[in-house]
Amino acid sequence: MPKSWLILLALVWLTGCVSVPDELSYEPESALLPYSTVSQHPDSAKGQPVRWSGVIAATRVLAEQTELEVVLLPLKANGVPQQQEKSEGRFLAHLPGLLDPSLYAPGRSVTVLGTIAGTVNGKIGEQSYRFVLVAGSAHKLWPQVKDVEVRYVNGCFEPLWLSPRPRPLP
C-alpha cells in the first residue's frame, strides 16, 4: 500500500512541473480556440478566449498599449512555445501599457492569453497579410535560451567542460 501512495505522489508532483503558469491559466481549457479554427473563421470567433505562443517578430508601442507581432508556434504542456521551423501564421497581440521593445525584442518567446478582437490587414515585408488580433489580458515573456559553446579540438568532439585541462585552440 505505501508503494502505491509514493507512485501517486510522484505522478502528482511531476504533473505540477509541467503545468501552465498561473498568469496564463484559463478554465475550462477546452474553451480555448486553436489558431487554425480562428484563422479560417475569425469573425465568428470574436470574443472567444485563446492562449497562443510564438516568437516576437516586431514590437510597436502605441498610445496606450503595445502591439506584438508574433510568429505562431505550438505550445508545450507548460505554456512555452515549442521551437520549430514551421508556423501556421502570425497574429497581433494588443497588451495594455508600455512593454519595452528592448526586452520584447524580435526573437524572444512569448505566450499570450486573451480574446479574439477581429482581424487587421497589414504587411509582412512587401506582401499583404491578414493578422488575427488578440486583445491580451495576460502574457509571459519567456527567458532567453542561452547557447552552449562547443568547440572541436583536433578533429574530435570534446566539450570544454569535459576537458581535463585547457588546450590551446588551433
Side-chain angles (χ1 to χ4, degrees):
M1 183 85 154
K3 187 176 180 180
S4 63
W5 279 105
L6 286 174
I7 292 171
L8 179 63
L9 181 62
L11 287 173
V12 169
W13 180 73
L14 287 173
T15 303
C17 292
V18 296
S19 64
V20 173
D22 288 340
E23 66 264 31
L24 297 175
S25 65
Y26 187 87
E27 290 298 328
E29 291 265 336
S30 59
L32 296 169
L33 295 180
Y35 180 83
S36 57
T37 302
V38 176
S39 65
Q40 292 173 4
H41 307 287
D43 294 329
S44 62
K46 276 188 181 175
Q48 297 298 309
V50 296
R51 182 175 54 224
W52 294 341
S53 67
V55 174
I56 298 172
T59 301
R60 293 178 276 282
V61 178
L62 306 175
E64 297 191 17
Q65 59 192 356
T66 302
E67 179 180 84
L68 299 180
E69 180 180 327
V70 182
V71 178
L72 184 81
L73 293 173
L75 283 168
K76 292 181 184 177
N78 61 357
V80 178
Q82 179 179 332
Q83 299 297 321
Q84 62 181 31
E85 301 297 317
K86 197 174 186 182
S87 173
E88 289 184 66
R90 294 187 182 198
F91 67 94
L92 297 177
H94 282 179
L95 299 161
L98 171 66
L99 302 178
D100 193 321
S102 296
L103 298 174
Y104 291 79
R108 293 290 304 268
S109 296
V110 68
T111 301
V112 176
L113 177 68
T115 57
I116 300 300
T119 57
V120 175
N121 291 323
K123 287 191 173 199
I124 299 174
E126 295 296 316
Q127 293 190 23
S128 296
Y129 192 82
R130 186 175 173 196
F131 293 94
V132 175
L133 178 61
V134 176
S137 57
H139 73 281
K140 177 148 179 82
L141 182 66
W142 297 98
Q144 289 180 314
V145 177
K146 302 294 182 189
D147 292 331
V148 176
E149 182 179 351
V150 177
R151 295 186 186 174
Y152 293 89
V153 180
N154 296 330
C156 298
F157 173 74
E158 186 176 295
L160 291 176
W161 64 88
L162 294 178
S163 294
R165 62 189 182 320
R167 295 183 184 202
L169 293 175

